[in-house]
Amino acid sequence: ERAIFWLGNASDDRGRATLRTIASSDTIARDLRGKAIFALGFLDHDGGNGPFLRTLYARLDDPELKDKVIQAVAQLDEDDDQRWLVQRVLDANESVELRKQALFWRGQKQSAPLGDLVAIYSRLDSRDLKEHYVFVLSQRRESDAVDKLIDLAKNDPDREIREKATFWLGQSRDPRAAKYLEDRISK
């Protein structure tokens, strides 16, 4: 474990190659593979691990390792990596839990543009994902996020989604959220 940690911090091509070998190996324990995946995403800021991690994900069967890859890719700054996370959210062949993880981690990337995340709501195919989407959006402070929450609170056909959006608007410090809630109460 310590060796994996230090390899991840080394910013060295040989270290990255070793981490990729560990992450890819079916003969190495899952926890060590997970730590190597973590190191590739979280500790290597010199880049280049996104394509490897995305390819590795497609080869994995283990949901726990897939989750580690999602978390690792979410730490990367390339647009391709952030788009890949959105693709995971929309992939009906993935488990709902992995899709929710991809949605959560994509939402946590504050430096990534919010537009693609706001736009996917209508393409979500389960209430579970939609409820999670409302939570994820509530964690963002951009005006687009507040606008989308207000839209969901007003217009979503699902009463529970409207209620969840309203709840999270009540937690917001955005004046537009407060105005929406005041208008709703006064009606």
Side-chain angles (χ1 to χ4, degrees), residues 111-182:
S111 63
L114 188 61
D116 61 344
L117 199 56
V118 168
I120 68 168
Y121 183 79
S122 64
R123 296 172 60 195
L124 298 178
D125 56 4
S126 79
R127 174 187 271 171
D128 204 17
L129 275 171
K130 288 180 178 184
E131 288 177 357
H132 192 61
Y133 175 92
V134 171
F135 167 74
V136 167
L137 211 57
S138 76
Q139 304 302 296
R140 300 293 293 253
R141 301 294 173 236
E142 296 93 335
S143 62
D144 288 351
V146 174
D147 290 342
K148 184 63 177 179
L149 285 173
I150 290 171
D151 177 58
L152 292 173
K154 284 181 179 179
N155 302 314
D156 198 87
D158 187 324
R159 182 175 186 255
E160 287 187 37
I161 298 296
R162 290 192 311 270
E163 288 175 0
K164 287 185 183 309
T166 301
F167 170 82
W168 287 112
L169 285 167
Q171 305 302 308
S172 173
R173 294 185 180 148
D174 190 291
R176 290 168 305 141
K179 171 86 170 99
Y180 165 75
L181 294 171
E182 287 172 15

Side-chain angles (χ1 to χ4, degrees), residues 26-41:
D26 291 332
T27 61
I28 293 178
R30 176 198 298 157
D31 65 323
L32 293 176
R33 291 178 73 191
K35 288 181 185 338
I37 291 167
F38 175 90
L40 288 167

Side-chain angles (χ1 to χ4, degrees), residues 71-145:
Q71 291 177 42
V73 169
Q75 304 312 306
L76 303 173
D77 291 325
E78 297 299 320
D79 290 343
D80 287 345
D81 298 317
Q82 298 306 309
R83 277 192 294 274
W84 180 85
L85 288 171
V86 171
Q87 291 167 354
R88 297 294 60 74
V89 172
L90 297 174
D91 187 348
N93 294 319
E94 296 285 358
S95 73
V96 171
E97 287 309 309
L98 286 172
R99 294 171 73 189
K100 286 170 63 176
Q101 285 290 54
L103 178 58
F104 174 80
W105 287 107
R106 173 58 185 84
Q108 292 297 301
K109 189 68 173 180
Q110 299 292 324
S111 63
L114 188 61
D116 61 344
L117 199 56
V118 168
I120 68 168
Y121 183 79
S122 64
R123 296 172 60 195
L124 298 178
D125 56 4
S126 79
R127 174 187 271 171
D128 204 17
L129 275 171
K130 288 180 178 184
E131 288 177 357
H132 192 61
Y133 175 92
V134 171
F135 167 74
V136 167
L137 211 57
S138 76
Q139 304 302 296
R140 300 293 293 253
R141 301 294 173 236
E142 296 93 335
S143 62
D144 288 351

Side-chain angles (χ1 to χ4, degrees), residues 7-13 15-17 19-20 36-50 53 72 75-77:
L7 284 171
N9 280 294
S11 295
D12 174 79
D13 288 338
R16 276 188 288 279
L19 289 171
R20 289 175 181 167
I37 291 167
F38 175 90
L40 288 167
F42 286 83
L43 301 175
D44 178 20
H45 301 292
D46 293 334
N49 286 324
L53 289 167
Q75 304 312 306
L76 303 173
D77 291 325

